[in-house]
Amino acid sequence: MISVDEARQRIAAAMRPVGIEPVPLDQALGRILAEDVAARVSQPPVAVSAMDGYAVRGADVQSVPTTLRRVGEAPAGGSYPGAVKAGEAVRIFTGGPLPAGADTVVLQENTEAQGDQVLVREVTALGRHVRAAGLDFQTGQVLLRSGRALRARDIGLAAAMNVPSLRVRKRPRVAVLSTGSELVSAGGAVGPTRIVDANGPALAAVLRSFGAEPVPLGIARDDIATLQEAAARARGTDLFLTLGGASVGEHDLIQKALGPQGLAVDFWKVAIRPGKPLMFGTMKSPGSDLPVLGLPGNPVSALVCALLFVRAAIDGLLGRAPEDPTITATLGRDVEANDTRQDYMRSELVRGEGGALVATPLPRQDSSMLASLAASGCLVVRAPHAPALKAGALVPIIPFGVGPEGY
Ligand code: AMP
Ligand code: MG
């Protein structure tokens, strides 16, 4: 059995990054940047006013009250063609370019307009309310780095940098196969020997939230020929995800079926709960190797493993290093010492007094119980051999529902 971290690293390292494509900014949200991006302009391009008021020579407003002569206007999108001379003021608005000769903006509130005269009532420090050229960024400055998951803020910045499209990683295509003779699609005829395939739709959604494109292969019965036929349909994708049958019971046929198709197994057991039977390998074929990740069938195991191992695979395919998804929270109740497997406990997550996050593991952790996964706010992570802890101790958690992802 190998550790969760080692499994994640081995999975990510085995992935070959997918290709790159350009996308316009309105398609870039959530995509992974595949280039460093430099500003094509300086922002602001010239010195501008930060306020509505009057552009003046600072030396003219160091003793007040004083009266200046209004000689013109510089709104945003316009400019005053001349130079401001001693004793003169140009009416200016936020974003308006500072006229030559002026170095300071007097706030409108500190003045009184009297015909073409402006009475200045307050001293304004030299250079106040002026944004220097390039204050935000300068031409050529690299502000977005390859590997970044693009957020709304980044898209705004790219637009400000005058960059209308970005080169991003293609969406990895991932074949998803549910296996089990007991499974029917949601809405189908269930009964004592027939249950609904929850994992197929769940994994397709997980993949989309990770920036991949699911290629659904449907449900395969526990039958070697059926599994082999499905595996043939996975060829040409970037990753083959099988759900269920990953262990070595009589009806766990993934390894048996794919072995003759060139599957070289890297590992098939990870020290994790839920989810011990987790298989990773590569189907060798001339020209194109296909990585295969076999998740356990219990729905909570499948989804917890998705968060860790499918995530690592997708990160690898997107050319990124896997990130540590954990943050710290306070335990809401006592927990027992852990055994040899890294434990991911479904937990309630609330804000305690003072706003700190408090995570309380749910009393039942059966890996078939999907309703409690949907209702929980995080997973509390318990390292192998972690000691018993009292309520109030700090623990690592994986929070759900923060950030733009849809897990
Ligand atoms: P397995 O990993 O195939 O041994 O499956 C473990 C348990 O998960 C069994 O009770 C299966 O019926 C159940 N199971 C397997 N695949 C799915 C699925 N796609 N959706 C819901 N339950 C499943
Ligand atoms: Mg099964």
Side-chain angles (χ1 to χ4, degrees):
M1 255 192 328
I2 63 172
S3 72
V4 170
D5 283 349
E6 187 181 348
R8 295 185 79 209
Q9 272 156 27
R10 267 153 77 162
I11 291 168
M15 298 296 141
R16 253 196 308 135
V18 296
I20 291 167
E21 63 186 0
V23 290
L25 292 186
D26 71 350
Q27 306 289 311
L29 182 66
R31 303 299 296 271
I32 306 303
L33 196 57
E35 60 177 348
D36 288 348
V37 184
R40 295 184 188 169
V41 291
S42 293
Q43 181 57 25
V46 295
V48 297
S49 178
M51 293 296 211
D52 291 349
Y54 292 89
V56 301
R57 290 171 172 251
D60 283 353
V61 292
Q62 298 311 303
S63 67
V64 289
T66 185
T67 302
L68 304 175
R69 196 160 63 85
R70 176 191 161 126
V71 293
E73 215 179 80
S79 67
Y80 175 68
V84 175
K85 296 192 256 319
E88 293 182 347
V90 165
R91 182 77 171 115
I92 198 164
F93 300 90
T94 305
L98 204 69
D103 56 15
T104 301
V105 172
V106 175
L107 289 184
Q108 175 177 306
E109 304 75 309
N110 296 339
T111 65
E112 205 173 294
Q114 301 166 334
D116 68 346
Q117 306 286 301
V118 184
L119 174 66
V120 178
R121 284 188 303 237
E122 305 272 339
V123 170
T124 304
L126 221 72
R128 278 290 277 156
H129 309 307
V130 173
R131 295 179 180 143
L135 171 72
D136 192 0
F137 52 80
Q138 306 207 348
T139 304
Q141 223 177 314
V142 173
L143 299 167
L144 294 168
R145 297 268 171 201
S146 181
R148 186 169 176 89
L150 293 163
R151 313 286 193 229
R153 290 173 289 145
D154 304 317
I155 289 165
L157 177 58
M161 290 157 73
N162 203 22
V163 176
S165 73
L166 295 167
R167 287 165 56 75
V168 299
R169 289 286 170 190
K170 290 183 174 169
R171 292 187 194 282
R173 295 177 67 246
V174 181
V176 182
L177 179 69
S178 299
T179 75
S181 300
E182 72 279 31
L183 300 177
V184 297
S185 297
V190 294
T193 61
R194 291 285 178 275
I195 63 165
V196 172
D197 169 20
N199 296 344
L203 265 292
V206 165
L207 286 165
R208 282 194 205 285
S209 80
F210 291 169
E213 183 191 328
V215 179
L217 299 185
I219 298 169
R221 278 175 293 112
D222 292 317
D223 165 282
I224 299 242
T226 309
L227 291 169
Q228 289 178 337
E229 181 273 327
R233 286 186 285 132
R235 295 269 179 209
T237 62
D238 299 306
L239 173 67
F240 182 19
L241 213 54
T242 65
L243 310 174
S247 195
V248 288
E250 275 127 77
H251 301 286
D252 296 322
L253 299 176
I254 294 295
Q255 294 189 49
K256 277 181 213 143
L258 303 191
Q261 307 222 319
L263 176 70
V265 174
D266 182 356
F267 58 82
W268 59 276
K269 260 188 185 175
V270 177
I272 180 174
R273 179 175 41 245
K276 182 168 81 178
L278 182 102
M279 195 276 300
F280 180 64
T282 306
M283 276 211 297
K284 307 271 179 199
S285 68
S288 70
D289 289 352
L290 177 61
V292 184
L293 186 56
L295 302 189
N298 267 311
V300 176
S301 307
L303 274 161
V304 170
C305 287
L307 201 55
L308 299 165
F309 306 112
V310 176
R311 180 78 218 215
I314 301 301
D315 281 341
L317 289 170
L318 291 171
R320 318 169 78 201
E323 275 172 34
D324 178 0
T326 58
I327 60 170
T328 302
T330 304
L331 257 184
R333 69 161 168 89
D334 298 354
V335 294
E336 289 169 14
N338 192 19
D339 63 9
T340 56
R341 283 152 73 184
Q342 182 140 307
D343 207 349
Y344 292 84
M345 306 177 82
R346 276 153 281 169
S347 305
E348 178 186 75
L349 186 65
V350 296
R351 294 247 172 227
E353 275 170 46
L357 289 171
V358 179
T360 308
L362 303 180
R364 292 204 62 178
Q365 296 285 332
D366 187 303
S367 63
S368 69
M369 292 166 66
L370 206 43
S372 64
L373 179 64
S376 60
C378 71
L379 298 171
V380 165
V381 185
R382 302 278 288 143
H385 308 295
L389 289 177
K390 294 278 179 209
L394 292 180
V395 284
I397 67 164
I398 299 177
F400 298 147
V402 289
E405 281 169 359
Y407 183 86

